[in-house]
Amino acid sequence: MGPLTTAVAVVAMAVFFISGFGEGRSSDNAQPAVTSATTGPCLLPAPDMRRRHKDLLFEERTKAVRQGDRNPEASLSRCITCHAVFDEAAQPIAYDDERHFCRACHLQVAVAPDCFTCHRSTPVMPVTPIQTGGTQ
Amino acid sequence: MSAPEPVARRSFLATALAGLTATVLGPGIVLMAFPGEAAAAPRPASTARRWGLLIDLSRCEDGCSRCVEACSGEHGWRTDSEGASEPQWVRIVHASDEDSGRTSQFPLMCQHCAQPPCADVCPTGATFRRADGVVLVDRHRCIGCRYCVMACPFGVRFFQGDTVRDQRPHSPRGKGTAEACNLCVHRVDHGGLPACVEACSTANSAMIFGDLNDPGSPIRAALSAIPTTRLRANLALGQGVRYHGL
């Protein structure tokens, strides 16, 4: 096989993967319907929070539980307070409901977090607006 | 007379920094935080402190259960249930002497041992002793084996067998994990008192909470003034909870 044939084959494969798989991924990767936080800003910009929220939660939980090193701004209850979703009766929606902020995405990616077997998934009413020192 | 203990460099610096914090915002504008406010900021657990509890039974009133109700309200466990499986983080125990017939009552909760048998037997490291002496369950690691429930000589650890709903935000509790008194670490870390001690202080003030390592603390003053005992002292577990008048 000559170098020209190889080059053509490589270009053809590249076009196939970029066009075919790219289109397929973009249509399968539609964002679920998620209710935006009512207060803000969050700890990190939204794309970083989507990718890193689990790592942040794990780090903060270990520090808080094992060392007593508490950071209320990065606690799960703070997440729950800002990202509360309310129903028609203005009551916060629990994780049992598919409209819950965490559940909306986790349902789509088929990941079941076990946070809410022990932690409360709704804020205690009435919710007071919170302003944090984070970005965005 | 014993010579005063030398102040370690680290603790001296910590004390000096905690005493007064100043932030310069701009020319002529300085934000000052005084010790009273600084104490409210959360502090990590440190071996410099050893939290302890002294329960003065001569002041503990018969029929009073304010500590139990306060704990139940703070952590969300029920006192109305007769079921054997419902946790009782603190309960009133009635004891009687077989020979004399003398009866007494005292509140019993996790004794926060220095050498906790529950932590010794925990296969996953979920039950552990924090640097400041508080014995806790890390439910993220708890597999619900109940070894700790069996190992505790005081019967103050419980297994949560039911689904828990509407937990308090500061006190997560869930099915399949062990639980016990946590000395209200969520309050203590912010410089507050455990809920039971706070409730008792409104009535009989039979409970004194404080730092056993601090020679100037009220609990140390009380311990040096009155005779106190630990439950089952023969086990030499070094509990943080002591009783007077048992």
Side-chain angles (χ1 to χ4, degrees), chain B:
Chain B
M1 284 293 286
S2 62
E5 288 185 7
V7 179
R9 181 192 298 254
R10 185 181 292 247
S11 66
F12 170 77
L13 283 174
T15 314
L17 287 174
L20 187 67
T21 314
T23 311
V24 180
L25 292 178
I29 308 168
V30 179
L31 264 184
M32 304 286 280
F34 291 97
E37 295 166 43
R43 292 178 304 178
S46 157
T47 48
R49 290 181 292 276
R50 165 71 163 119
W51 296 123
L53 194 58
L54 169 60
I55 302 170
D56 182 352
L57 298 179
S58 65
R59 301 172 75 102
C60 186
E61 184 190 335
D62 271 6
C64 172
S65 60
R66 284 183 181 85
C67 53
V68 179
E69 286 151 17
C71 183
S72 164
E74 183 75 12
H75 296 285
W77 51 272
R78 302 194 309 274
T79 53
D80 56 351
S81 168
E82 293 298 316
S85 67
E86 181 65 13
Q88 293 176 293
W89 289 19
V90 54
R91 63 184 188 272
I92 302 292
V93 172
H94 298 271
S96 61
D97 188 278
E98 284 182 8
D99 298 329
S100 65
R102 177 177 178 269
T103 60
S104 59
Q105 69 159 38
F106 58 94
L108 182 68
M109 73 288 280
C110 174
Q111 304 286 298
H112 298 282
C113 306
Q115 283 88 35
C118 52
D120 285 347
V121 299
C122 181
T124 64
T127 296
F128 69 105
R129 183 173 177 271
R130 230 168 63 151
D132 55 8
V134 181
V135 177
L136 293 178
V137 182
D138 182 352
R139 289 177 180 76
H140 306 110
R141 302 189 188 186
C142 181
I143 56 171
C145 71
R146 293 168 244 200
Y147 283 9
C148 59
V149 178
M150 286 180 274
C152 177
F154 309 105
V156 289
R157 296 205 132 227
F158 304 92
F159 178 74
Q160 181 54 257
D162 296 324
T163 302
V164 186
R165 297 198 180 278
D166 290 330
Q167 297 95 327
R168 306 292 185 267
H170 50 257
S171 188
R173 301 168 57 229
K175 182 177 180 178
T177 58
E179 54 184 62
C181 158
N182 60 12
L183 219 54
C184 286
V185 279
H186 60 284
R187 286 164 158 255
V188 171
D189 287 345
H190 288 88
L193 289 172
C196 55
V197 178
E198 193 177 280
C200 191
S201 68
T202 64
N204 304 314
S205 298
M207 294 170 126
I208 304 174
F209 174 82
D211 180 6
L212 297 172
N213 285 350
D214 177 8
S217 63
I219 189 167
R220 279 283 292 271
L223 285 174
S224 60
I226 56 175
T228 60
T229 182
R230 289 172 166 135
L231 291 180
R232 298 196 63 180
N234 58 321
L235 297 177
L237 298 173
Q239 298 99 301
V241 180
R242 283 168 172 269
Y243 294 87
H244 166 68
L246 197 64

Side-chain angles (χ1 to χ4, degrees), chain A:
Chain A
M1 198 188 295
L4 184 64
T5 322
T6 310
V8 169
V10 167
V11 170
M13 283 174 69
V15 168
F16 170 75
F17 276 110
I18 292 168
S19 60
F21 280 92
E23 280 172 21
R25 270 173 52 187
S26 66
S27 62
D28 290 341
N29 208 23
Q31 297 280 330
V34 178
T35 310
S36 297
T38 49
T39 52
C42 202
L43 296 171
L44 295 173
D48 292 333
M49 286 308 292
R50 284 190 198 116
R51 183 167 289 277
R52 292 186 53 205
H53 68 279
K54 189 183 89 167
D55 297 331
L56 292 175
L57 283 168
F58 279 15
E59 185 181 337
E60 291 299 333
R61 83 162 190 209
T62 305
K63 277 161 61 182
V65 175
R66 311 225 37 127
Q67 284 126 43
D69 188 358
R70 294 169 188 274
N71 181 3
E73 290 211 348
S75 65
L76 180 62
S77 62
R78 178 62 59 90
C79 302
I80 293 303
T81 305
C82 286
H83 287 284
V85 180
F86 296 91
D87 63 10
E88 297 75 18
Q91 290 303 305
I93 287 172
Y95 188 77
D96 299 341
D97 193 305
E98 290 183 4
R99 292 172 291 173
H100 187 271
F101 177 79
C102 303
R103 181 116 185 239
C105 280
H106 279 272
L107 194 66
Q108 170 141 339
V109 296
V111 175
D114 57 2
C115 308
F116 304 113
T117 51
C118 287
H119 287 276
R120 187 188 175 93
S121 63
T122 55
V124 175
M125 299 297 283
V127 175
T128 48
I130 294 162
Q131 296 296 325
T132 63
T135 55
Q136 202 191 19

